[in-house]
């Protein structure tokens, strides 16, 4: 295939989607777009205006009112993209512990999902984007010319997560494994590859090797 204008990367928690997506986007000169940041951005705005996140209706109404944008980095401060809410840069604010605690609840509301998927599709339709998520290829951009679905064993994903936190107060491997398994259960309704997705089993592969594999796939199917 010729260089696809939209590439989606889906897969379970800990499969390495974000690392791969960022590297692949850099290689192609594309926008790296983690769809999850939109849910974080909405959660941040909801907290700032004092909404009760446990009340679906006002949060869903807010989703209709807030314009969330994801663009290439606007500052050289280590960010992989810039997140804007109604024009305000909230790139680092969406990583706060308060947002971390509330985002899973916000992301479950059907009205929130409908509106943010619509906004995600607008970004994807511009092209030159690597979109990472759990349903990017099945729901958000089902017509994307190249869909990657990352697969990795539960043990491999737990090992990676443990290594990521080895510099701090790392949890025992069995606890990390159990936490990822619970996340898989929560995500079971979206954890499936698109019918035309390319499956990439990445146990033992470095992110750089994954990028090389995908670039080779693009070349071979051109």
């Amino acid at each position: 295939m010729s260089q696809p204008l939209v590439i989606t990367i889906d897969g379970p928690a800990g499969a390495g989607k974000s690392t791969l997506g960022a590297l692949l986007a850099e290689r192609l000169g594309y926008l790296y777009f983690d769809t999850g940041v939109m849910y974080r951005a909405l959660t941040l705005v909801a907290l700032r205006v004092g909404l009760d996140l446990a009340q679906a209706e006002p949060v869903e109404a807010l989703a209709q009112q807030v314009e969330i944008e994801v663009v290439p980095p606007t500052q050289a401060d280590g960010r992989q993209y810039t997140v804007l809410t109604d024009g305000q840069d909230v790139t680092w604010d969406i990583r706060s512990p308060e947002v971390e605690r509330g985002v899973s609840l916000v992301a479950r509301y059907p009205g929130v999902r409908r509106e943010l998927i619509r906004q995600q599709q607008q970004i994807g339709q511009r092209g030159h984007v690597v979109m990472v998520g759990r349903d990017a290829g099945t729901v958000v951009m089902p017509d994307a010319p190249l869909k990657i679905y990352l697969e990795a064993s539960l043990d491999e994903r737990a090992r990676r997560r443990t290594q990521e936190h080895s510099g701090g107060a790392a949890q025992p491997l069995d606890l990390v494994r159990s936490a990822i398994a619970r996340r898989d259960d929560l995500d079971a309704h979206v954890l499936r590859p698109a019918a035309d997705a390319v499956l990439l089993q990445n146990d033992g592969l470095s992110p750089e090797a994954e990028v090389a594999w995908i670039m080779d796939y693009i070349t071979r199917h051109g």
Side-chain angles (χ1 to χ4, degrees), residues 170-212:
Q171 290 184 312
L173 182 61
D174 59 337
L175 292 181
V176 175
R177 189 181 189 279
S178 296
I180 293 176
R182 287 195 298 272
R183 181 63 180 270
D184 286 352
D185 288 340
L186 290 172
D187 290 340
H189 64 294
V190 293
L191 277 179
R192 67 184 189 280
D196 57 346
V198 177
L199 303 184
L200 175 52
Q201 220 294 342
N202 67 359
D203 280 28
L205 288 181
S206 69
E208 292 77 13
E210 294 173 56
V211 170

Side-chain angles (χ1 to χ4, degrees), residues 104-214:
S104 294
L105 177 61
V106 168
R108 287 203 292 266
Y109 294 140
V112 167
R113 291 191 60 80
R114 282 194 300 271
E115 175 58 24
L116 295 193
I117 286 171
R118 184 189 68 80
Q119 294 191 33
Q120 290 161 9
Q121 289 171 333
Q122 288 182 331
I123 293 174
Q125 287 162 1
R126 299 174 195 160
H128 298 92
V129 60
V130 176
M131 183 179 293
V132 173
R134 287 179 176 79
D135 58 2
T138 53
V139 175
V140 184
M141 298 298 294
D143 296 327
L146 177 57
K147 307 180 186 75
I148 306 293
Y149 190 87
L150 282 188
E151 295 181 318
S153 67
L154 180 57
D155 287 340
E156 175 75 3
R157 290 184 282 141
R159 183 187 65 79
R160 290 174 184 167
R161 281 289 169 87
T162 303
Q163 287 182 339
E164 287 173 3
H165 298 95
S166 60
Q171 290 184 312
L173 182 61
D174 59 337
L175 292 181
V176 175
R177 189 181 189 279
S178 296
I180 293 176
R182 287 195 298 272
R183 181 63 180 270
D184 286 352
D185 288 340
L186 290 172
D187 290 340
H189 64 294
V190 293
L191 277 179
R192 67 184 189 280
D196 57 346
V198 177
L199 303 184
L200 175 52
Q201 220 294 342
N202 67 359
D203 280 28
L205 288 181
S206 69
E208 292 77 13
E210 294 173 56
V211 170
W213 189 94
I214 294 171

Side-chain angles (χ1 to χ4, degrees), residues 1 9 19 21 25 64 78 82 84 93 98 100 108 121 125 139 160 170 172 186 195 210:
M1 64 176 61
I9 302 176
T19 301
Q64 298 280 343
T82 291
L84 305 169
D93 297 333
E98 294 78 13
E100 186 71 36
R108 287 203 292 266
Q121 289 171 333
Q125 287 162 1
V139 175
R160 290 174 184 167
L186 290 172
E210 294 173 56

Side-chain angles (χ1 to χ4, degrees), residues 17-36:
K17 301 182 298 294
S18 298
T19 301
L20 173 59
L23 283 175
L24 183 60
E26 181 180 10
R27 173 72 176 271
L28 295 170
Y30 281 13
L31 170 69
Y32 164 54
F33 178 26
D34 176 355
T35 58

